[in-house]
Structures are given as C-alpha cells and as structure tokens.
Amino acid sequence: MVNFTEIIKTFIKSVARSRVSLMGAVLATITFPILLVAAVLDIMRIVENPYFGFIIYMVLGPLFTVSLLLVFLGIFFFKGKEEVGIFTYDSLKELFTAPNRFAQVRKIVFLITGLTLLNLFILGLISYTGYHYTESIGFCGQLCHTVMAPEYTTYKNSPHSRVRCVECHIGQGAQWFVKSKISGIRQIFAVAFKTYSRPIQTPVHGLRPARETCEECHRPELFHGDKLYIKDKFMPDEKNTHLQTVLLLKVGSGGYRGSNANGIHWHVAPENSITYTHTDTAREKISEVSLSKPDGTRVIFTKEAETTSGSSGKVRTMDCIDCHNRPTHIYLSPDEALDLKLAHGDIPVSLPYIKKIALELITKPYASQEEARNSIATEIRARYRRDYPLLVNNNMPLLGQAISGIQAAYTENVFPEMKIEWNTYRNFLGHKNDSGCFRCHDESHSTKAGETISMDCDTCHIILAENEKAPKVLETLRGRGL
Ligand code: HEC
Ligand code: HEC
Ligand code: HEC
Ligand code: HEC
Ligand code: HEC
C-alpha cells in the first residue's frame, strides 16, 4: 500500500527543490484561506458588495489557479540547481525504469491526483459562483460605477428593475454566453484605459434579437384588448395647472385565439415579417420597408428622400426593440420628468410657479450632478424666500420636498460625467420629435401603386381627451369625479 506520510514528504521535498514551486506554494497558502472564507461569505450573502465579488472571482480566484499551476510546473520543469531538468527522453526513461526512482514518481502521481481532485472541486466551486457573479446585477451595473451609473439608475426606476441585466443582454444559450464574455473582456479594458465612449453608443450592436430574450417572459401574440393611456401634464403657470391626455392605445396582438393579428403588435405576429433598410446608425432614416405576407407576397414601401442620401444602408428585421428600445433605460424629457414628480406629489403642486422655475433650473448646463444638486437647492431657496416669504416661512418642509423632487428629476435623467444630457437617447415608443413610429408611419414611404404606411391618428389610438382639465371621459370611466 502507499504510505501517505511518505507521499507528503516526497511532495514537500519536490516542492522545496524548486523555486518556482515554492513561490506557488507560498502564494497558494496565502490565497487559499482568504478565498475560502470570502467565497463562503459571498455564497451565504453575508457580504453583498460588487467590489467584494470582483476581488474574489476576478483577482483571488485566478491568483489561486496560477499559484497551483506554478507548484506543478515547478515540480516537473524547474527543479533546483542539481536537477534543472526539462523533460528529456533520458530523464523520462530513468524516471520510469529505475525502480527506486519509479517508486518516487508513483508517490507523486498519487498525491497529485488527490490534490488535483481537491483543487478541481475548489476551482469548480469558484468558477460556478464566479459565473453567477458575472451574471449579477452588481457586476453589470455597479462595478464600473461612473460608466454604468446612467444605465443602472434608469434600470432601477423602470418596470424591469427586478429583471437581471443578462436576461435582456445575453439570454439563454452557449453561443451568446461566449459572445458576451468576449465583449465583456473588451469592456474591462475599455474601462481600465478609459477608452469607452461617452455617452455609451446606442443602438447596441450585437444585442441578441429581442424575440429570443423578451419573449422568454412576454408573448405579444397572446396580448389582447386595448389599453387606457393617461398622461398627466402641468402647465408653467402660477397654479401649475393640471391637464390630462387620455388615449385608448390599440395594443392589439399577433392573433389571439384564432382572431387575426391586429393593432400595434400586428408587426410581431408569426405570419408577418417586416424588414427595413436604414441609412444611419441610429436607425432613424428609413429608406425602405419590406413586408412579407403569409401568402408569400411582398409589399415594398420606399422613401425617395432617404434613398438619395448616398449610403446604401443596412437591412434589419423588425423586432420588439424597434419600438421598445427603452424598455428599462428610460430617460425622460425635462417636462415629462417634472410632470411625473408633480403627479406623484414628490414636488408639491401648491408652490406657485414651481413647474416653470424647476424647468428653468433643470435645463441649465451643469458640470456634474453634485453641482446641479447644490445649485438647484440654493436657487429654489433664494427665489421662494424672496418672492413668497410668507408661504415659505409658514411651511418650511414644503420647500425641502420641492428641492429633493427637482434634484431627483435631474439626477435620474442627466449624467454630465457620461455626457448624457436631456434627450441624448431617443425613445421610439410613440412619435416624439417625429421619430419612433413616424419613422415609417409618415405617409412618405410608398409602394409603386402609391399605397403608404398610415399616419392616420386612429390607426394606433383613439384620442379620448387631449390636454384637458379633469377630462369628462375619465369621470365617466371611473364613475366619479376626480
Ligand atoms: C428589459 C431588458 C433590459 C434589461 C433588464 C437591461 N437592459 Fe440594457 N438595454 C436594453 C435595450 C433594449 C437596450 C437598447 C438597445 C438598442 O437600442 O439597441 C439596452 C441598452 C443598454 C446599454 C447601451 C446604452 C443605451 O442606453 O442604449 C447599456 C450600457 C446597458 N443596456 C446596460 C445594462 C445594464 C448594466 C443592465 C442591468 C443593470 C441592463 N442594461 C439591463 C435592455 C435591457
Ligand atoms: C425575465 C422576464 C422579463 C424579460 C426577459 C423581459 N421582461 Fe418586460 N416585464 C417583465 C415584468 C415582470 C414586467 C412587469 C413589471 C411590472 O408590472 O411592475 C414587465 C413589463 C414590461 C412592459 C410594460 C411596462 C410598463 O410600462 O408597464 C413592457 C413594454 C415590457 N416589459 C417589454 C419588454 C421588452 C421589450 C423586453 C425585451 C427587451 C422585455 N420586456 C424583457 C419581465 C420581463
Ligand atoms: C410596432 C411597435 C411595437 C413592437 C414591434 C412591439 N411592441 Fe410592445 N408595445 C408597443 C406599444 C406602442 C405599446 C403600448 C405602450 C404603452 O403602454 O405606453 C406596447 C406594449 C407592450 C407591453 C405592455 C402591454 C400592456 O398591456 O401593458 C409589452 C409587455 C410589450 N409591448 C412587449 C412586446 C414584445 C415582447 C415585443 C416583441 C415580440 C413587442 N412588444 C413588440 C409597441 C410595439
Ligand atoms: C419599420 C417600419 C415601422 C415602424 C417603425 C412602425 N411600423 Fe407600424 N406598420 C408598418 C407597416 C409596413 C405596416 C403595414 C402597413 C400596411 O399594410 O398598409 C404597419 C402597420 C401598423 C398598424 C396596423 C396594423 C393592422 O392592424 O393592420 C398599426 C396599428 C401600427 N403599424 C402601429 C405602429 C406603432 C404604434 C408604431 C410605433 C410604436 C409602429 N407601428 C412603428 C411598419 C412600421
Ligand atoms: C403608428 C401609430 C401612431 C399614429 C399613426 C399616431 N400615433 Fe399618437 N401615439 C402613438 C403611440 C404608440 C403613443 C403612446 C406613446 C407612449 O407610450 O408614450 C402615442 C401618443 C400620442 C399622444 C400622447 C403624447 C403625450 O405623451 O402627450 C398624442 C397627443 C398623440 N399620440 C397624438 C397623435 C395624433 C394627433 C396623431 C395623428 C396625426 C397620431 N398621434 C398618430 C402612436 C401613433
């Protein structure tokens, strides 16, 4: 039988003979306990910090692996002075034929097998938890703090704040996993050397087709019915007059239980396939739209103005992202941001002219969010103390609330450090600035026969009220006054 202490002795001797092995062994002895304790703390979720995960899985893990490699490399290849033996045929022959040498070799082989199994287990554990770490929201959204702050902030405030970044950006399957890791390594270099672009470019090239990611959770072909869309607005007058727009959005479906595809999600019905050619990177200038119908016919709409712009353009198959390009990184316009805060009561509507003043303050240029916060606070205090001293003195908290609401409207949408101003990122869901749906639905893309893609207001929604004070239709629907 093999003598265990003998084996250990031989191993220690071999290690001691090689400087490389010794270095490896020292490194392994230092990293191992730290790594083990850290990994346990992480797995038990006792410490939850993205930098902690980074140190365990991106620094300690690889260091430990390297140290083990050094130990083994040293034993075999870089021995001490007397035996600097790269494997030559002679030395190999001697190792395996001379009886006393072979006994030694056998011991080392046993030990190495044992140690390798143990190491494989530890490395397996670390790569498994490490893999989960690189898929975590902390890794994607918080590690490179300044770079991802805009995406992370908007994500946190969106309906998808509980969906992990990787579920939209990578999805299932090995091919996209590998792609994302390769691009991830490039991104780490970009952050290290600050070569990333500010703002981060959109659209994301190489984003997995949305049909494979979004449809893990949503199935528009099964949507049905319309959606009541209510938008609150506040005027820049003394009373911050509250107006509402009410639409019935024809959300539609890709064909629900035998009924035909209809409404807005008609585009993603299994039987329709729409491709389009765009002549710019932002996909805003669309020169041709091609619709393949279930019966095999193709309808092609072209827009002369865009075809003559020189570039031949890129072809893309329309999917969810061509409308929902901001499902989670939603940046609002200054008006929208303030209207939302006023509607939710984060900014008190009772302060005279608050909408007007706030709009003026948040649209000024600032060098950083910090500067914006300070400037907003000082300005609001100064102006209201000057113009409405009575109101302010009797109700101090009101001003504080207004300040934090206005600051939030700014810091949730503008990130000077990443050069993200108001309206840096376009939202295609709708037709703001004649973009979004109106990139195609503009009555200027036409077939040879002269048919166009409809811009008729009733195609997509019925306008029930537009900028009305207490719209009658809401009263009717809710069965009571507002
Ligand atoms: C609900 C799906 C979804 C989730 C969850 C999600 N993203 Fe995105 N992300 C998108 C889409 C869609 C785009 C824009 C794609 C386009 O226009 O090409 C995008 C764009 C980006 C961009 C490019 C800049 C931009 O705004 O266009 C970055 C960077 C990014 N996401 C990072 C993240 C990070 C970090 C997280 C997690 C904190 C995350 N994403 C979570 C869907 C998602
Ligand atoms: C892992 C599941 C998951 C994935 C993947 C996912 N979503 Fe969602 N999505 C949700 C959930 C859950 C909600 C509902 C959130 C709520 O109501 O608070 C939602 C809500 C929505 C809404 C309604 C938002 C609103 O304002 O009410 C839209 C639109 C949407 N998702 C589009 C998308 C698109 C486009 C993609 C692909 C880029 C996507 N989702 C990917 C889970 C997912
Ligand atoms: C032609 C543009 C367009 C395409 C393509 C599109 N959507 Fe939508 N989708 C919309 C609009 C517009 C709404 C309503 C927006 C609103 O509620 O403000 C909507 C609403 C939704 C909602 C919320 C439904 C509800 O009743 O609240 C989900 C979820 C959704 N879409 C998912 C998807 C997914 C997944 C895809 C891709 C398979 C997709 N959409 C493709 C335009 C589109
Ligand atoms: C890439 C081009 C493109 C974009 C962008 C686009 N559409 Fe369309 N849409 C089409 C085409 C093509 C048709 C079919 C027109 C026809 O057959 O006359 C269509 C048809 C429709 C229809 C009628 C469907 C039916 O029942 O027959 C609705 C509703 C619609 N679109 C809503 C929207 C909305 C809302 C948006 C923006 C969120 C949008 N579309 C963006 C190309 C587009
Ligand atoms: C191709 C589809 C489509 C057509 C055509 C269309 N709209 Fe819209 N419109 C939308 C969608 C989708 C939204 C909702 C956007 C959102 O979810 O933020 C919208 C929103 C609106 C809003 C509310 C905007 C706001 O937030 O204040 C108004 C007002 C409006 N549309 C007016 C019109 C008028 C007027 C026409 C006719 C010239 C028209 N629309 C044609 C798709 C369309």
Side-chain angles (χ1 to χ4, degrees), residues 55-68:
I55 290 179
I56 307 177
Y57 301 113
M58 303 280 133
V59 181
L60 285 179
L63 210 60
F64 182 60
T65 320
V66 167
S67 67
L68 291 181

Side-chain angles (χ1 to χ4, degrees), residues 161-182:
S161 56
R162 297 214 170 140
V163 175
R164 290 180 306 142
C165 318
V166 290
E167 285 184 81
C168 293
H169 284 279
I170 304 173
Q172 308 283 321
Q175 187 205 347
W176 288 92
F177 174 73
V178 173
K179 264 196 191 177
S180 75
K181 294 294 133 152
I182 293 173

Side-chain angles (χ1 to χ4, degrees), residues 40-98:
V40 169
L41 288 181
D42 184 55
I43 293 166
M44 312 265 298
R45 289 168 185 262
I46 296 171
V47 179
E48 291 203 46
N49 180 319
Y51 298 101
F52 186 62
F54 182 78
I55 290 179
I56 307 177
Y57 301 113
M58 303 280 133
V59 181
L60 285 179
L63 210 60
F64 182 60
T65 320
V66 167
S67 67
L68 291 181
L69 274 176
L70 284 182
V71 171
F72 290 121
L73 278 178
I75 290 179
F76 287 113
F77 297 104
F78 303 99
K79 298 193 175 170
K81 267 192 199 124
E82 64 276 28
E83 284 187 57
V84 181
I86 303 289
F87 270 22
T88 57
Y89 174 70
D90 284 341
S91 69
L92 271 179
K93 201 169 125 192
E94 192 207 327
L95 274 181
F96 285 96
T97 47

Side-chain angles (χ1 to χ4, degrees), residues 248-269:
L248 195 63
L249 268 181
K250 299 181 176 175
V251 172
S253 81
Y256 180 69
R257 295 198 173 166
S259 72
N260 289 333
N262 63 80
I264 297 171
H265 289 93
W266 164 91
H267 305 77
V268 289

